[in-house]
Amino acid sequence: MTATIHRALVTGGAGFIGSHLCDALLDAGHEVLVLDDLSSGHRENVPSGVQTFRALDLRDAAGVRAMVRDLKPTVVFHQGAQTSVSASVRDPLGDAEANVLGSLNVFEACVAENVGKVVFASTGGAIYGEVPAGQRATPEWPARPLSPYACAKYAVERYLDFYRSEHGLSSVVLRYANVYGPRQDPHGEAGVVAIFAKRLIAGSGIHINAMAEPGDDGCVRDYVFVEDVVRANLLALQGTLEGTVNVATGVPTTTRAIADGLVRALKVEAQIDAAGRRPGDLQRSVLEPTPALGDLVSLEDGTARTAAWFAESGR
Ligand code: NAD
């Protein structure tokens, strides 16, 4: 049996996760199109094999519609988003314009042009709220979105229910945990692996924001390597993953464990300071992984690969 070749539109394909997804789709022989306004992504992240790149804002309904009409993708991987939780707190309207209305522009175009499937990048790290010690959130957990960013992602999931029942638009919702890996932006306030790697390579000190009190090991998160996130997207395309799925490891990891792992991987001496709690930070977020994802990259391996990439790329 020959594999189906898709014409895949990746929104946010110039970003961290989207660009890795483009690489994997091209490796698998698919045609790839990218829509990205380069607000947080970079043109040089987009692999040269991508057939069409359009610097387009998701909020531009006519532009999105024209791109889908002209290029006729068979599947859309909707990764493009305003991704900063704190920006969403400062500007809920701006967040909703990009993440809710921008998403609806994509789905309206998909319906109008009979796109077969949408795979949506949602957030497991933000939708479930606090996950008590000893527990892992499953997709059946009640949603407790606490930020405008999480509210928007959750709203878009519900809109996808509407587009499925009303228009027959097939979709898979992937709720990513805390994703890390090469090309992650080290300049934001999230993405602690990238931020620490960059600082440690530069010989700068790092600090551990407290979970409760300065000096503790920091917040607990579920760190998933970008390669596994990309694999989840491809499994969603094939139909192996369906419905709403956690893309996670289920392994609780403190910020201090991340710092220690990077110090080991980079073989550097580091000044690690204790800082206070950051307002708004969840204390603990750990998700039940999806068995269909199979073996996942270990934190040790993923951290070492990420550290090596930051050391080599100078980014
Ligand atoms: P990223 O910022 O690297 O990628 C987002 C991309 O979307 C960027 O290239 C950006 O330029 C583009 N974009 C933003 N607003 C746009 C707009 N209005 N029009 C067109 N393009 C726009 O972030 P990422 O970490 O690669 O995130 C990819 C997706 O995964 C996002 O939807 C994000 O919400 C989701 N997600 C990420 C994580 C994580 O830990 N990184 C966790 C959960 C969910």
Side-chain angles (χ1 to χ4, degrees), residues 8-84:
L9 171 59
V10 181
T11 72
F16 160 47
I17 299 169
S19 64
H20 284 282
L21 178 58
C22 291
D23 287 336
L25 287 164
L26 290 168
D27 284 349
H30 301 296
E31 289 176 28
V32 182
L33 320 161
V34 168
L35 179 167
D36 198 303
D37 71 349
L38 302 177
S39 52
S40 62
H42 305 280
R43 184 65 181 87
E44 62 269 27
N45 281 346
V46 180
S48 56
V50 161
Q51 200 171 61
T52 304
F53 170 82
R54 282 202 190 164
L56 195 60
D57 192 322
L58 288 162
R59 294 170 294 186
D60 174 358
V64 171
R65 175 73 187 271
M67 182 168 186
V68 174
R69 188 189 57 229
D70 297 350
L71 301 174
K72 307 225 172 321
T74 54
V75 59
V76 173
F77 293 92
H78 185 33
Q79 307 286 320
Q82 186 299 109
T83 52
S84 162

